[in-house]
Amino acid sequence: MIGATLSRWTLSYFASAVAFLLAAEALMVLGFGYPGSALRSPETLVLVHCVAIGWLSLLMCGALFQFVPVLVAKPIHSNTLPLPALLLILTGLGALIAGFLQLAGYLPPNASVFMAASVLLGAGFLLVLWNLGRTLAAAWPLNLPARFVTIGLASVAATVTFGVLFTLGFAGEAQGPFLLELRARGLPLHFIAGLGGWLTFTAIGVSHRLLAMFMLSPELEGASTRWTFYLGTLALAIVVIGGVVAIAVGGRLDVVLLGAGLVGLACLALYARDVVQLYRKRVRPVIELNSRMAGVALGQLAAAALLTSAAAALGVVDRFGGALVFLVAFGWLSGLGLAKLYKIIAFVTWLECYGPVLGKTPTPRVQDLVVEPRARRWFWLYFAAVDAATLCLALEATLIFRVAAAAMLLATAAIALEFIRTRRLSNVKAALRLPTGTRLPRLLFTFVAS
Ligand code: HEM
């Protein structure tokens, strides 16, 4: 990654994302949204989109602006566009939340708020797609990790399209018979494309490169990785295209989703095989905290896949759906996100601050920017709290759930503090901190030579 252009606004994405995660956890401690109110209630919609757009999507966008150029060894199409995209997504999410709060009766009704949310969120994600799409197009033909990202971007396009449709529906638009049917039955397509395609499939693609890079393992491009890609793409195509067709012709959506689920399970099984290979074949004997905690997050994904399969076989997916989505969002996606942020922030800060003077003066190693023993206990508390919270949701223990959410909030706040310390070089010995020719990095953006 040495020599890669640093993404100017990635840290602003990361900071906004972590702020939304902390806000969502605080809402859960206060009993706002599920399980305090119904799964389909407006309060739950606020919570879901603070997590899905505010935390996970902004985290993914920020990471892709930095890593797509590394994946394809080409510079980002524009290092400026990410800022207006961020501002559009943040104001759009603000409008969407205000719209949901209207539905809940906390704010006076005003349909134009939903209209604004559709336009702003649509425009923001379109700018993200344009910038990353142009960067990938310039590197055609694409290597395997980049192809995973491409399908992930197609999935967020589908997710946002459904989302805009639902939002326009709340604004009193999108009233045609097919659109009404899509609004009535399309919700599973929306969140499977979002959680499964955009967030999970992209993470699978990027993790092949990141795990190999940070553990010094040989990168996998063999048959199992190729088939992970083909099967995952097929499962997502069945959900989005098969789902829309089934709704259009009045067909059985449950059959389509079952088919996609079985193909998706085969995809995850091959991915699990690859992950075991990556950990086994690593050159770096001692696994760093970020890779160890990524391993825990991968374990959460495996548990979620097995529990979902068991729930489907027993016909109780509806009953445990909330707990299963929670485990995917907070155990797998958020766990992996926090673990990788711990390394990425240190790496980007080291590159930005010491890159220009490498070999000219003594500089710290990347590892000197973090204190793993201090962070490790907060990561364990985080995962233990998530699993306890998941169990509480399955057992409908609402009050204990809030206690578990409080432990998640405490752990996340402590991990966020670690990120700030790393960025401020607080863990680096004074003698090595700012040698001549270096300067203290800014918290929210990266100095990049234009
Ligand atoms: C990664 C991105 C996203 C994910 C994972 C996601 C996930 C979800 C989930 C799980 C629900 C159902 C919540 C419940 O039943 O309580 C939902 C509903 C909804 N989403 Fe999203 N969403 C995403 C992006 C968006 C975007 C960008 C928009 C708007 C442009 C949006 C608008 C909506 C609306 C309006 C509903 C309510 C639909 C209804 O109840 O009829 N979502 N979303």
Side-chain angles (χ1 to χ4, degrees):
M1 195 175 141
I2 302 272
T5 310
L6 288 171
S7 160
R8 179 174 292 129
W9 297 107
T10 281
L11 287 161
S12 306
Y13 279 76
F14 289 168
S16 313
V18 173
F20 269 101
L21 174 59
L22 292 166
E25 289 170 342
L27 287 175
M28 291 193 283
V29 174
L30 296 170
F32 187 89
Y34 183 76
S37 31
L39 256 182
R40 293 293 302 273
S41 69
E43 288 88 346
T44 304
L45 289 174
V46 169
L47 199 54
V48 163
H49 292 90
C50 280
V51 174
I53 304 176
W55 156 234
L56 293 169
S57 293
L58 288 182
L59 173 69
M60 187 60 87
C61 291
L64 290 179
F65 287 132
Q66 183 56 70
F67 277 104
V68 164
V70 177
L71 287 183
V72 296
K74 291 254 185 235
I76 189 89
H77 173 69
S78 163
N79 218 345
T80 312
L81 275 180
L83 181 61
L86 177 63
L87 299 175
L88 284 165
I89 294 174
L90 286 175
T91 43
L93 179 56
L96 187 68
I97 291 171
F100 291 147
L101 291 176
Q102 281 177 26
L103 295 179
Y106 295 100
L107 294 175
N110 178 348
S112 62
V113 169
F114 278 119
M115 192 54 92
S118 316
V119 173
L120 293 164
L121 282 166
F125 278 105
L126 211 56
L127 269 186
V128 171
L129 285 167
W130 169 255
N131 199 0
L132 293 172
R134 290 293 304 267
T135 310
L136 289 163
W140 201 262
L142 296 174
N143 58 38
L144 206 44
R147 280 190 252 160
F148 277 90
V149 173
T150 306
I151 298 298
L153 293 176
S155 301
V156 75
T159 308
V160 174
T161 305
F162 289 125
V164 165
L165 173 72
F166 299 153
T167 310
L168 288 174
F170 284 123
E173 305 294 332
Q175 301 298 330
F178 172 57
L179 295 181
L180 278 175
E181 195 59 13
L182 209 51
R183 279 175 47 209
R185 301 178 63 201
L187 199 54
L189 311 188
H190 172 63
F191 68 74
I192 294 172
L195 292 172
W198 161 229
L199 297 165
T200 294
F201 204 56
T202 309
I204 288 176
V206 172
S207 70
H208 273 100
R209 176 64 63 87
L210 282 187
L211 288 172
M213 209 165 87
F214 291 145
M215 293 196 297
L216 304 180
S217 309
E219 200 169 326
L220 303 173
E221 294 236 348
S224 67
T225 315
R226 284 199 304 279
W227 277 98
T228 305
F229 173 74
Y230 299 141
L231 291 171
T233 306
L234 176 62
L236 291 164
I238 295 173
V239 169
V240 177
I241 303 169
V244 170
V245 171
I247 291 171
V249 300
R252 290 198 47 192
L253 199 52
D254 55 344
V255 174
V256 172
L257 296 180
L258 181 64
L262 292 172
V263 178
L265 213 53
C267 161
L268 290 178
L270 286 177
Y271 176 52
R273 184 186 169 286
D274 274 2
V275 165
V276 171
Q277 295 292 315
L278 282 167
Y279 277 84
R280 278 216 184 116
K281 291 190 177 162
R282 72 183 189 278
V283 173
R284 178 170 269 155
V286 180
I287 300 185
E288 291 179 352
L289 184 64
N290 77 90
S291 299
R292 190 184 297 272
M293 291 304 129
V296 178
L298 287 157
Q300 307 271 323
L301 173 64
L306 293 172
L307 289 169
T308 306
S309 313
L314 298 168
V316 290
V317 170
D318 287 351
R319 173 145 171 238
F320 294 108
L324 293 167
V325 169
F326 186 91
L327 185 58
V328 169
F330 288 101
W332 154 236
L333 291 167
S334 303
L336 183 74
L338 290 170
K340 286 298 153 193
L341 273 179
Y342 188 73
K343 179 72 178 185
I344 295 170
I345 292 173
F347 204 100
V348 164
T349 302
W350 178 82
L351 208 55
E352 178 193 352
C353 187
Y354 303 109
V357 297
L358 276 181
K360 297 178 194 144
T361 179
T363 54
R365 301 164 308 146
V366 178
Q367 269 314 83
D368 299 328
L369 273 65
V370 295
V371 178
E372 290 199 356
R374 189 176 62 209
R376 187 184 308 137
R377 57 174 171 246
W378 297 117
F379 273 101
W380 282 121
L381 174 65
Y382 174 80
F383 283 113
V386 167
D387 292 347
T390 305
L391 192 60
C392 291
L393 291 177
L395 300 174
E396 294 169 358
T398 307
L399 216 52
I400 311 175
F401 170 82
R402 291 169 64 179
V403 177
M408 283 170 63
L409 178 58
L410 173 66
T412 308
I415 293 169
L417 196 58
E418 292 296 331
F419 296 158
I420 294 171
R421 284 189 174 129
T422 301
R423 187 72 191 152
R424 304 303 287 169
L425 304 176
S426 313
N427 303 320
V428 179
K429 293 195 182 64
L432 270 179
R433 190 172 297 151
L434 287 171
T436 319
T438 63
R439 61 175 153 194
L440 192 66
R442 295 293 177 84
L443 215 49
L444 294 182
F445 65 89
T446 309
F447 284 117
V448 182
S450 35

